[in-house]
Amino acid sequence: MDAANESSEGAPFILLGLTTSPGQRRPLFVLFLVLYVAGILGNGLIVAAIRASPALHAPMYFLLAHLSFADLCFTSVTVPKMLANLLAHDRSISLAGCLIQMYFFFALGVTDSCLLAAMAYDRYVAIRHPLHYATRMSRAVCTALVGTAWLVSHLHSLLHILFMARLSFCASHQVPHFFCDHQPLLRLSCSDTRHIQLLIFTEGAAVVVSPFLLILASYGAIAAAVLRLPSASGRLRAVSTCGSHLAVVSLFYGTVIAVYFQPTSRYEAERGRVATVMYTVVTPMLNPVIYSLRNRDVQGALRALFTGRRISAADS
């Protein structure tokens, strides 16, 4: 029995993917390839435009560049492997590969969470305290916010991976998911996972639920300020912009909370896969559109990027 368990623990995991139906694999491959390329191009162009244009060196764009870079990396942790597995017969991944994928997935996901909160705070300060904006959102403050987001996310990820690495997997190694994730792996483990679930509901809540609540509070204060604007067209434009931002943020956090903040015994693989697609593929693709491509300054910077014309801060 011990030899069998040891052999099982050393066996690779098999990622079952989005579907087990051969007929659905090619259509899903095409769909997710299009979504992935759109997300990579959108986020990559935003990073390039902000870096190239002096007109986009305001705090909002500094934070946005880091969000786009994090989104670009976030989708690249899981989607290429998922696309390869949709066409491949061998869908295995080693335990080491699984842990590495999980590490970067958790780190970049929490970075996204923290940066979204920082961007909401930036908009709050800009609208509610415009006279103090330059000091409250100075370059030093923005750098500290971004540095904290990256540091906290990697510490969070390292903590979780150290716990996951101690688990034993002596039953099935078939993972009903398209990447290595918490809940499916915890269902496969024959170790006591209560300490990891406790970690998710405590430390995990601090880096996911707390930023979400901060974002809701920031947008609530922004909405109160917007309603006092004298111009009806200004109110409508502000409500439209904030509404689209809040919709994407709610989709991201809502699906994350639905997947992770539930007991492992209640986790349903099919629903989990659908929810995971929302925050791993859909929201990173939507972020460039919602936060950037409707912005005239960003549109000007993108035109300048394609035409080779240099744009100055005075042009904005």
Side-chain angles (χ1 to χ4, degrees), residues 36-52:
Y36 177 62
V37 171
I40 291 294
L41 287 177
N43 285 296
L45 285 172
I46 295 306
V47 173
I50 291 173
R51 287 183 60 84

Side-chain angles (χ1 to χ4, degrees), residues 62-81:
F62 177 76
L63 296 172
L64 180 59
H66 280 271
L67 177 68
S68 293
F69 177 72
D71 277 339
L72 189 154
C73 297
F74 185 50
T75 55
S76 297
V77 170
T78 58
V79 177
K81 178 68 174 173

Side-chain angles (χ1 to χ4, degrees), residues 82-289:
M82 176 187 72
L83 292 173
N85 285 348
L86 283 170
L87 299 181
H89 294 292
D90 181 11
R91 297 188 295 276
S92 63
I93 183 171
S94 66
L95 175 60
C98 211
L99 293 175
I100 290 171
Q101 186 183 56
M102 290 177 70
Y103 176 86
F104 287 104
F105 178 77
F106 294 158
L108 291 163
V110 172
T111 300
D112 252 16
S113 175
C114 295
L115 289 174
L116 287 170
M119 291 176 68
Y121 175 72
D122 170 77
R123 293 299 82 205
Y124 165 78
V125 174
I127 292 175
R128 293 302 300 265
H129 305 283
L131 298 179
H132 302 286
Y133 181 74
T135 54
R136 293 194 181 186
M137 293 302 297
S138 65
R139 188 58 177 239
V141 171
C142 289
T143 301
L145 287 172
V146 169
T148 300
W150 286 100
L151 177 62
V152 166
S153 65
H154 281 276
L155 290 176
H156 161 84
S157 185
L158 180 61
L159 179 62
H160 281 259
I161 293 304
L162 289 175
F163 277 100
M164 293 295 293
R166 299 175 62 185
L167 296 179
S168 296
F169 300 94
C170 45
S172 171
H173 276 55
Q174 293 189 337
V175 182
H177 214 317
F178 60 88
F179 72 101
C180 294
D181 200 8
H182 251 145
Q183 296 284 26
L185 288 179
L186 292 179
R187 290 290 296 269
L188 296 179
S189 176
C190 52
S191 302
D192 184 356
T193 62
R194 286 176 297 179
H195 56 295
I196 297 181
Q197 294 184 59
L198 180 62
L199 185 67
I200 294 172
F201 279 95
T202 53
E203 187 271 343
V207 296
V208 174
V209 179
S210 296
F212 184 41
L213 294 177
L214 176 62
I215 291 170
L216 292 179
S218 296
Y219 276 105
I222 290 171
V226 164
L227 291 176
R228 292 197 293 268
L229 290 175
S231 168
S233 61
R235 288 196 300 272
L236 183 62
R237 186 167 57 252
V239 167
S240 174
T241 301
C242 290
S244 58
H245 289 186
L246 198 55
V248 174
V249 165
S250 298
L251 178 63
F252 176 79
Y253 283 101
T255 50
V256 167
I257 291 170
V259 169
Y260 294 104
F261 295 94
Q262 61 174 316
T264 303
S265 58
R266 293 179 56 189
Y267 176 77
E268 296 180 18
E270 186 173 351
R271 291 178 59 186
R273 287 194 298 268
V274 173
T276 304
V277 165
M278 293 296 111
Y279 63 81
T280 58
V281 182
V282 176
T283 54
M285 181 196 67
L286 290 177
N287 278 338
V289 178

